[in-house]
Amino acid sequence: MMRHTMSENQALLLTKSPTAGIYSLRCAIAEHLLRFRGMHIQPEQIIIGAGTEYLYELIIKLIGRDKIYCLEDPGYHKLQRIYTDNGACCFSLPIDQQGMSVTALNAVRCDVIHISPSHHFPTGIITPVSRRYELLGWATSGQRYIIEDDYDTEFRLVGKPIPSLFSMDMSSKVIYMNTFSKSLTSTIRISYMVLPMPLMEEFNRRLGYLSCTVSTFEQYTLAEFINQGYFERHINRMRNNYKKLRQLLLKELLAHPEHDKIQILQQASGLYFLLKINTTLSDRDLRSRLQQNGVHLQSLQHYYQNRQAAPEHTFVVNYSSLTEKDIPRAVAALFDSLAM
């Protein structure tokens, strides 16, 4: 596709990209979101950027550094640093079994919430429709917004697709975020966000002078990759591959003679699941043992701002880099680490 783009679009490659990205890629993404997420949006609502970190910076410029931003706890620590380093006031709020709680939100001052309702990392929690409507109701009061992080949802392996919060929003309060870093490769650095039309008009008015941070070459190539159906076939192929890997890994874990030492949680969580281990070892000692045996797992406590609220002996198992041949050896090493 890169060779084709270089030979067929030489003149276009020398034309500067609009601030929000080239129109053909925005059209391709809009069609993709309609097919995969049932989202009816206009290409003019999409902004292309080199990574979600850059897009978060644009959101802060657009909505304002004087606003208070709220994140999920547990969650990615990097998010809090991005907001605070860009001069925004930011804090984390504990989630419950349905995601971010409106009751907890109403007890604090907050203007913008950053959530992942369709597939929370690292717990795998899926926010039900009733809670989603509560969150949308919260956002309608005053100048409030919801940033919906839909990262990794292409690889939901069990159950029916979950409607995006953006598609449920009737008040233009949801900003939708996603990236190609997980579905293609982390080195591509192409992400995008979908703004409600009123915010998009404000973006064009106030920030339309900025340059697009993704090269036209990569934008035109990705647009063709999507339009010709290669991206959809790639997603389907990878989904089948990951589903097979997950089934093999779970089968191997539960078939082990000492499987009573573990409990598998959130099996429907895409490319990872939670593993609770029955042990008297501390999480630090257990993680050290695992690493000595070549098993690299991160404790769930690592993702909590409030470590005291985190469950002990629970680890995040990301199996996306495993091969079928790796699984028996990895499972054996895991249980060897548990031997007292």
Side-chain angles (χ1 to χ4, degrees), residues 94-112:
I95 62 172
D96 59 25
Q97 290 303 309
Q98 295 186 337
M100 188 166 283
S101 165
V102 176
T103 301
L105 270 176
N106 287 331
V108 297
R109 186 192 161 194
C110 175
D111 303 300
V112 184

Side-chain angles (χ1 to χ4, degrees), residues 190-257:
I190 300 180
S191 301
Y192 62 93
M193 64 178 173
V194 185
L195 296 182
M197 198 56 80
L199 266 185
M200 191 69 209
E201 291 170 357
E202 185 175 351
F203 175 88
N204 290 330
R205 186 168 57 252
R206 290 175 43 207
L207 301 176
Y209 68 92
L210 295 171
S211 297
C212 182
T213 51
V214 181
S215 75
T216 55
F217 180 37
E218 291 179 336
Q219 289 189 68
Y220 280 113
T221 303
L222 180 56
E224 281 296 297
F225 190 74
I226 297 172
N227 288 333
Q228 294 193 26
Y230 291 118
F231 183 58
E232 185 171 348
R233 290 197 290 273
H234 166 74
I235 291 294
N236 291 334
R237 183 169 61 249
M238 296 307 294
R239 189 186 288 125
N240 290 333
N241 176 63
Y242 289 137
K243 187 174 184 178
K244 184 178 180 181
L245 271 178
R246 188 191 66 176
Q247 290 172 341
L248 288 172
L249 178 57
L250 294 177
K251 183 179 179 180
E252 193 79 18
L253 285 168
L254 296 176
H256 194 277

Side-chain angles (χ1 to χ4, degrees), residues 134-172:
E134 289 179 14
L135 291 169
L136 289 171
W138 170 87
T140 58
S141 176
Q143 293 297 311
R144 292 172 172 174
Y145 291 98
I146 299 173
I147 300 171
E148 179 184 16
D149 192 338
D150 216 25
Y151 176 81
D152 203 19
T153 52
E154 289 93 347
F155 299 114
R156 175 172 165 77
L157 304 178
V158 176
K160 297 179 180 180
I162 302 161
S164 68
L165 198 65
F166 188 96
S167 62
M168 300 169 62
D169 177 29
M170 297 291 107
S171 302
S172 299

Side-chain angles (χ1 to χ4, degrees), residues 173-199:
K173 292 292 188 174
V174 178
I175 300 168
Y176 178 91
M177 309 281 298
N178 211 331
T179 180
F180 292 99
S181 297
K182 191 69 174 180
S183 53
L184 288 176
T185 171
S186 58
T187 56
I188 279 197
R189 307 304 301 157
I190 300 180
S191 301
Y192 62 93
M193 64 178 173
V194 185
L195 296 182
M197 198 56 80
L199 266 185

Side-chain angles (χ1 to χ4, degrees), residues 60 64-67 69 81-90:
I60 295 168
R65 291 182 174 86
D66 58 332
K67 305 297 183 184
Y69 296 76
R81 183 165 183 177
I82 291 170
Y83 283 110
T84 54
D85 283 357
N86 281 277
C89 179
C90 179

